């Protein structure tokens, strides 16, 4: 508490490299209206970073990290200790992660790798490389939490996937005369030696929260060791993504919110279901199916965060399916707007499950942005309303001559129901773009435009 008070009072010109707290009570409801919580809404100017360690059984922490209150700082959950010692300083300070955090502040990285003297300028990761490294990092975090037998199988699959990913990225870069970033080159695996270590990717730290929304949702909804099928407990996946966002300096709470947003989006679209949303999304394989159904038209208006050229070259290397290609395609469709995606969702070649998976990604992104206090992407509303209008037009066209019981008409109705559920949820949560933005859209395509403008 004293440290939290002091860091906001640092003299001008004084910088604190980092701050480590253990078992902090700052998330306690008693501090909800306090001056300290209000003054720490933004990071103090002179503080480099702040990491807090907490134990899920510790009543002093109210069994939660303080990034739930201050999203800009980093939480790390230590192994749960139940009993009278759950808040003891000795318990926290004996955790290796606490020692590493303090050591990092005092001495820097623990890495023993040689730094080669070179005048070559390394190139930063582009978007496809960033997504690939994030996915592989997430896979390694999953592997570290599995039991010994499952871990060995998972690492064996990961070795194959990582080697193929690096090979394809390298091939793409060579064709484009682009240097291979060091962070990609160091991940090369030796497939001839099954006993050799699989190099772990370093954490990604250059993405803002806003830019990380789509890649995170794409990654947690995917099988990151595709085409291998290995069942991973949901708790392991959740812990892994919490650590992933924490080490990306986005806060562990963002990882928690990723899973919460994913589950909420499933509930909105599908209602109560016994099927895990992770398996439910995988059923659709939505992104690749939409692209294939429209011969690539769905990506025409979907440059996304990477730019159309980067996505096009990446998909040429990976294809719309596969682990990395699927992640890129899914992320692009989540951020897309325009007729390409609307036409793809309405196309008879796109299955109901595929449409459901795409709309799920769009809705989950909106929910995650809302939970994290981020600005909404207005293109999401435009994309969904235009898709609803396109599905209605297609349904009206087919109804003129088709049997009422035709499977195609039933599929279009189910697609429309899902899109309408997503639009209704956005309205209920106040996530509709402002009337000024909606006025720029083409009126008459969908009743949603008129009702939103009237409000």
């Amino acid at each position: 508490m004293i440290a939290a008070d002091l860091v906001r009072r640092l003299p001008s010109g004084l910088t604190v490299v980092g701050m480590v707290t253990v078992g902090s009570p700052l998330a306690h409801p008693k501090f909800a209206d306090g001056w300290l919580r209000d003054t720490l809404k933004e990071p103090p100017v002179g503080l480099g970073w702040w990491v807090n360690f907490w134990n899920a059984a510790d009543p002093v922490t109210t069994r939660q990290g303080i990034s739930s209150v201050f999203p800009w700082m980093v939480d790390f959950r230590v192994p749960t200790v139940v009993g009278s010692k759950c808040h003891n300083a000795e318990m926290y300070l004996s955790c290796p992660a606490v020692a590493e955090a303090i050591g990092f502040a005092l001495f820097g990285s623990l890495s023993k790798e040689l730094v080669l003297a070179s005048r070559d300028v390394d190139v930063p990761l582009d978007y496809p490389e960033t997504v690939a490294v994030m996915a592989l990092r997430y896979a390694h975090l999953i592997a570290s939490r599995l039991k010994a037998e499952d871990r060995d199988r998972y690492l064996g699959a990961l070795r194959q996937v990582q080697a193929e990913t690096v090979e394809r990225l390298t091939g793409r870069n060579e064709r484009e005369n682009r240097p291979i970033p060091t962070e990609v080159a160091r991940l090369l695996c030796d497939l001839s030696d099954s006993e050799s270590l699989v190099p772990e990717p370093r954490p990604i730290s250059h993405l803002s929260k806003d830019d990380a929304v789509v890649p995170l949702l794409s990654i947690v909804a995917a099988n990151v060791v595709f085409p291998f099928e290995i069942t991973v407990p949901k708790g392991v996946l959740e812990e892994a993504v919490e650590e992933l966002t924490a080490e990306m300096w986005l806060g562990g709470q963002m990882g928690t919110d990723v899973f919460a947003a994913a589950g909420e989006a499933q509930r909105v679209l599908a209602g109560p279901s016994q099927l895990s949303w992770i398996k439910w999304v995988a059923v659709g394989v939505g992104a690749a199916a939409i692209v294939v159904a429209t011969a690539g038209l769905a990506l025409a208006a979907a440059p996304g965060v990477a730019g159309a050229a980067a996505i096009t070259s990446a998909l040429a290397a990976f294809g719309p399916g596969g682990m990395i290609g699927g992640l890129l395609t899914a992320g692009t469709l989540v951020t897309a707007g325009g007729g390409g995606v609307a036409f793809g969702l309405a196309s008879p070649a796109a299955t109901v499950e595929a449409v459901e998976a795409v709309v799920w990604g769009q809705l989950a992104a909106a929910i995650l942005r809302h939970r994290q206090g981020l600005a909404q992407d207005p293109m999401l509303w435009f994309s969904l309303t235009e898709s609803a209008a396109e599905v209605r037009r297609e349904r009206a066209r087919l109804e003129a001559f088709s049997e009422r019981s035709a499977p195609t008409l039933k599929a279009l109705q189910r697609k429309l129901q899902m899109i309408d559920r997503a639009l209704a949820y956005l309205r209920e949560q106040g996530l509709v773009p402002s009337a000024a933005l909606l006025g720029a859209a083409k009126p008459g395509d969908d009743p949603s435009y008129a009702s939103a403008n009237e409000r």
Side-chain angles (χ1 to χ4, degrees):
M1 293 297 299
I2 295 173
D5 185 20
L6 287 177
V7 292
R8 69 186 190 89
R9 305 172 184 267
L10 297 176
S12 177
L14 177 63
T15 299
V16 173
V17 172
M19 184 163 78
V20 178
T21 55
V22 296
S24 172
L26 275 172
H28 196 285
K30 290 291 186 182
F31 297 108
D33 300 318
W35 53 269
L36 188 56
R37 182 172 292 194
D38 291 338
T39 56
L40 285 174
K41 287 182 178 179
E42 299 295 333
V45 175
L47 179 63
W49 50 265
W50 178 4
V51 59
N52 174 66
F53 293 87
W54 63 287
N55 171 20
D58 186 349
V60 176
T61 67
T62 64
R63 299 174 175 83
Q64 61 183 326
I66 57 179
S67 64
S68 58
V69 178
F70 309 126
W72 54 266
M73 56 80 59
V74 178
D75 269 319
F76 189 99
R77 183 167 61 189
V78 303
T80 302
V81 175
V82 179
S84 60
K85 296 184 178 181
C86 62
H87 185 64
N88 282 15
E90 182 180 358
M91 183 278 294
Y92 279 107
L93 296 177
S94 63
C95 176
V98 178
E100 288 184 18
I102 296 172
F104 178 76
L106 294 174
F107 307 112
S109 173
L110 284 173
S111 174
K112 296 181 180 179
E113 294 181 351
L114 294 177
V115 179
L116 300 178
S118 172
R119 296 183 179 180
D120 295 337
V121 178
D122 195 10
V123 292
L125 298 173
D126 65 7
Y127 183 71
E129 291 163 345
T130 297
V131 173
V133 173
M134 277 181 64
L136 293 174
R137 178 65 183 169
Y138 178 51
H140 279 273
L141 293 174
I142 291 172
S144 68
R145 287 166 166 75
L146 295 175
K147 296 179 180 179
E149 180 180 348
D150 292 335
R151 186 188 308 125
D152 290 341
R153 288 195 303 119
Y154 198 91
L155 284 174
L158 179 53
R159 179 192 302 276
Q160 300 282 332
V161 172
Q162 185 163 315
E164 181 182 3
T165 299
V166 173
E167 181 181 357
R168 291 196 175 188
L169 282 173
T170 301
R172 181 204 66 157
N173 286 15
E174 289 176 350
R175 288 192 296 272
E176 297 180 358
N177 294 318
R178 182 177 184 273
I180 310 299
T182 301
E183 291 303 310
V184 173
R186 62 181 296 275
L187 299 180
L188 190 61
C189 300
D190 183 4
L191 294 181
S192 65
D193 182 4
S194 61
E195 300 299 321
S196 64
L197 294 177
V198 183
E200 288 194 23
R202 294 191 181 100
I204 295 293
S205 59
H206 62 273
L207 291 182
S208 66
K209 282 189 174 184
D210 193 58
D211 289 340
V213 165
V214 172
L216 284 171
L217 283 169
S218 301
I219 287 170
V220 300
N223 172 16
V224 288
V225 291
F226 184 87
F228 301 97
E229 299 287 343
I230 301 175
T231 301
V232 178
K234 184 179 178 182
V236 169
L237 297 173
E238 189 167 3
E239 288 181 8
V241 78
E242 286 175 358
E243 184 172 350
L244 180 69
T245 58
E247 66 184 18
M248 291 172 67
W249 302 106
L250 303 176
Q253 183 63 36
M254 187 164 193
T256 303
D257 287 346
V258 167
F259 265 72
E264 178 71 1
Q266 177 197 1
R267 184 192 65 77
V268 171
L269 296 183
S273 173
Q274 299 297 317
L275 188 62
S276 164
W277 65 263
I278 300 168
K279 294 181 180 178
W280 174 79
V281 173
V283 168
V285 197
I290 295 295
V291 174
V292 171
T294 61
L297 179 61
L299 294 181
V305 82
I311 288 292
T312 302
S313 67
L315 290 179
F318 294 112
M323 193 269 280
I324 300 300
L327 292 177
L328 293 172
T329 310
T332 305
L333 290 177
V334 168
T335 60
V341 174
F343 179 78
L345 297 181
S347 169
T351 66
V352 174
E353 291 78 15
V355 173
E356 196 166 9
V358 172
V359 176
W360 169 89
Q362 294 176 326
L363 183 59
I367 296 171
L368 178 56
R369 288 190 178 98
H370 181 57
R371 294 179 71 95
Q372 282 286 309
L374 301 172
Q376 291 294 326
D377 178 5
M379 288 307 300
L380 168 65
W381 178 263
F382 298 150
S383 177
L384 287 173
T385 52
E386 190 165 1
S387 296
E390 187 63 40
V391 172
R392 284 188 171 91
R393 281 193 287 267
E394 180 67 8
R395 183 182 62 178
R397 185 178 73 87
L398 296 182
E399 279 179 339
F401 303 104
S402 298
E403 300 286 346
R404 292 292 180 183
S405 59
T408 303
L409 285 177
K410 291 182 178 179
L412 285 170
Q413 182 60 29
R414 288 175 60 192
K415 293 177 184 180
L416 188 58
Q417 287 174 346
M418 284 181 292
I419 299 171
D420 284 344
R421 286 173 189 162
L423 289 169
Y425 178 87
L426 293 174
R427 292 192 197 96
E428 292 168 4
Q429 299 300 317
L431 302 181
V432 178
S434 68
L437 284 176
L438 287 172
K442 187 169 64 174
D445 280 351
D446 185 88
S448 307
Y449 283 117
S451 59
N453 272 306
E454 289 167 4
R455 283 199 299 277

